[in-house]
């Protein structure tokens, strides 16, 4: 069951990426023994064999993975744009992630922005492709390495506040929602069709698999769109979400990058047009004395 109270969120913020009770932890011994070369179906079968998953759960996972390609294809082009103008700015509103990105210079300086965005785009493309290709894709292996192990390495090499790690359960769950839940809101706002019925359950179900494979515990992984909305609202109302100087810096660097990529004499403010208005207001530079 997903977190439903601020106390649960506060406690989850103290916990790092988890191997216990997640697909990340279950996959780890397999990945350490050549699992990177195994496709989704084979990895799920290995998890059943070693007792990490029931055959019923593995079958349900595989059914959703096999259906993901058609759902993803239906929203792919607009989704790609929304990742840049909506999802990324939203990630800067979670203070832990924003501070870590600035501390590691991963996006704080304009010169680093193209490289970092290209890397992020490549990772997310490979993740979605790895599941869109169904049973024979390599989504599980890619997520484990690129989003699970990579986050562990970053966490181990960057000092964090004494009361919680920068990469914690809430920051991870929030970030995942910016890739799974909030783009659907963006699609609605621009008049695009969004997945419904079984297609919506497939979309949310595969992102739940992705989240577990990157080490997010059950409380941060909604099954349905409504659960995702409630979880989003809960996290947005928590102390970890809010204005930070780092978030302002990151958003400004992203805006400059998006403007520089346009050929027009007067660039269009795509983030201002299609971004999350609440986030854009939150991350406005504060005037002196306020």
């Amino acid at each position: 069951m997903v977190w439903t109270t601020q106390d649960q969120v506060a406690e989850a913020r103290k916990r790092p990426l988890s191997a216990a009770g997640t697909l990340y932890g279950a996959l780890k011994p397999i990945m350490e023994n050549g699992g990177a070369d195994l496709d989704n179906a084979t990895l799920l079968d290995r998890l059943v064999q070693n007792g990490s998953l029931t055959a019923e759960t593995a079958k349900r996972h595989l059914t959703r993975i096999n259906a993901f390609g058609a759902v993803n294809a239906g929203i792919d082009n607009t989704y790609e744009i929304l990742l840049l103008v909506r999802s990324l700015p939203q990630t800067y509103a979670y203070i832990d992630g924003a501070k870590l990105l600035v501390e590691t210079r991963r996006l704080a300086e304009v010169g680093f922005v193209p490289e970092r965005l290209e890397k992020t785009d490549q990772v997310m493309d490979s993740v979605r492709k790895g599941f869109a290709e169904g049973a024979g894709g390599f989504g599980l292996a890619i997520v484990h390495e690129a989003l699970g192990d990579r986050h562990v390495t970053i966490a181990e090499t960057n000092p964090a506040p004494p009361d919680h790690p920068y990469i914690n359960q809430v920051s991870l769950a929030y970030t995942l929602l910016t890739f799974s839940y909030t783009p659907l809101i963006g699609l609605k706002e621009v008049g695009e069709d969004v997945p419904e019925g079984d297609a919506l359950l497939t979309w949310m179900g595969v992102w739940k698999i992705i989240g577990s494979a990157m080490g997010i515990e059950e409380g941060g992984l909604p099954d349905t769109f409504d659960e995702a909305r409630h979880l989003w609202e809960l996290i947005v109302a928590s102390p970890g979400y809010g204005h930070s100087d780092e978030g302002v810096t990151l958003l400004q660097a992203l805006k400059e990058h998006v403007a520089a990529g346009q050929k027009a004499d007067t660039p269009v403010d795509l983030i201002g047009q299609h971004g999350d208005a609440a986030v854009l207001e939150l991350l406005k530079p504060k005037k002196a004395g306020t």
Side-chain angles (χ1 to χ4, degrees):
M1 180 179 293
V2 296
W3 309 312
T4 58
T5 69
Q6 288 297 339
D7 285 344
Q8 290 174 328
V9 171
E11 287 301 312
R13 193 182 182 198
K14 300 175 184 178
R15 297 194 290 271
L17 181 153
S18 176
T22 66
L23 284 174
Y24 174 75
L27 286 166
K28 195 163 186 61
I30 301 172
M31 298 299 293
E32 290 173 345
N33 288 281
D37 296 326
L38 301 179
D39 61 31
N40 296 322
T42 304
L43 284 175
L44 288 171
D45 186 57
R46 292 283 182 90
L47 292 176
V48 173
Q49 292 175 19
N50 69 18
S52 298
L53 285 183
T54 66
E56 181 181 358
T57 299
K59 181 179 179 180
R60 183 169 63 250
H61 285 350
L62 193 58
T63 297
R64 287 175 173 168
I65 290 170
N66 281 331
F68 184 73
V71 180
N72 181 64
I75 64 175
D76 190 51
N77 292 334
T78 305
Y79 178 89
E80 286 285 346
I81 297 171
L82 290 172
L83 289 186
L84 179 65
V85 301
R86 188 180 185 92
S87 297
L88 279 172
Q90 286 173 328
T91 64
Y92 306 153
Y94 199 79
I95 297 169
D96 295 331
K99 287 184 178 296
L100 180 61
L101 285 169
V102 170
E103 185 171 304
T104 58
R105 297 201 312 171
R106 291 179 179 277
L107 269 179
E109 300 174 29
V110 174
F112 287 88
V113 172
E115 176 186 350
R116 180 57 187 167
L117 291 183
E118 181 179 359
K119 177 64 175 177
T120 300
D121 190 51
Q122 288 174 347
V123 169
M124 297 313 299
D125 272 353
S126 64
V127 166
R128 288 190 296 125
K129 181 180 179 181
F131 286 99
E133 291 176 340
F138 294 86
L140 283 168
I142 292 168
V143 171
H144 191 277
E145 179 180 10
L147 299 180
D149 284 346
R150 179 60 179 153
H151 281 140
V152 170
T153 299
I154 293 172
E156 290 175 344
T157 54
N158 290 279
D163 55 342
H164 66 272
Y166 282 134
I167 297 177
N168 57 68
Q169 285 295 320
V170 185
S171 65
L172 289 169
Y174 174 83
T175 300
L176 191 72
L177 287 171
T178 68
F179 291 104
S180 60
Y181 164 69
T182 68
L184 301 184
I185 304 299
L187 285 167
K188 288 183 178 181
E189 290 183 355
V190 298
E192 295 278 350
D193 292 333
V194 298
E196 297 180 346
D198 289 343
L200 181 56
L201 290 175
T202 292
W203 177 262
M204 298 304 301
V206 169
W207 281 103
K208 181 172 181 176
I209 293 169
I210 292 170
S212 185
M214 61 187 278
I216 301 175
E217 62 192 43
E218 190 72 17
L221 297 173
D223 283 295
T224 66
F225 182 86
D226 284 342
E227 282 188 353
R229 174 168 53 84
H230 289 304
L231 182 60
W232 177 263
E233 292 171 353
L234 188 70
I235 295 175
V236 166
S238 72
Y241 178 92
H243 177 96
S244 68
D245 291 340
E246 291 83 359
V248 173
T249 299
L250 291 166
L251 181 57
Q252 184 58 37
L254 180 62
K255 283 184 173 182
E256 291 178 18
H257 171 73
V258 172
Q262 300 180 39
K263 297 180 179 180
D265 293 335
T266 305
V268 177
D269 182 8
L270 295 174
I271 293 176
Q273 286 185 356
H274 302 298
D276 182 333
V279 167
L280 301 183
E281 181 64 28
L282 179 70
L283 297 182
K284 280 185 177 179
K286 289 188 175 180
K287 297 179 181 179
T290 62

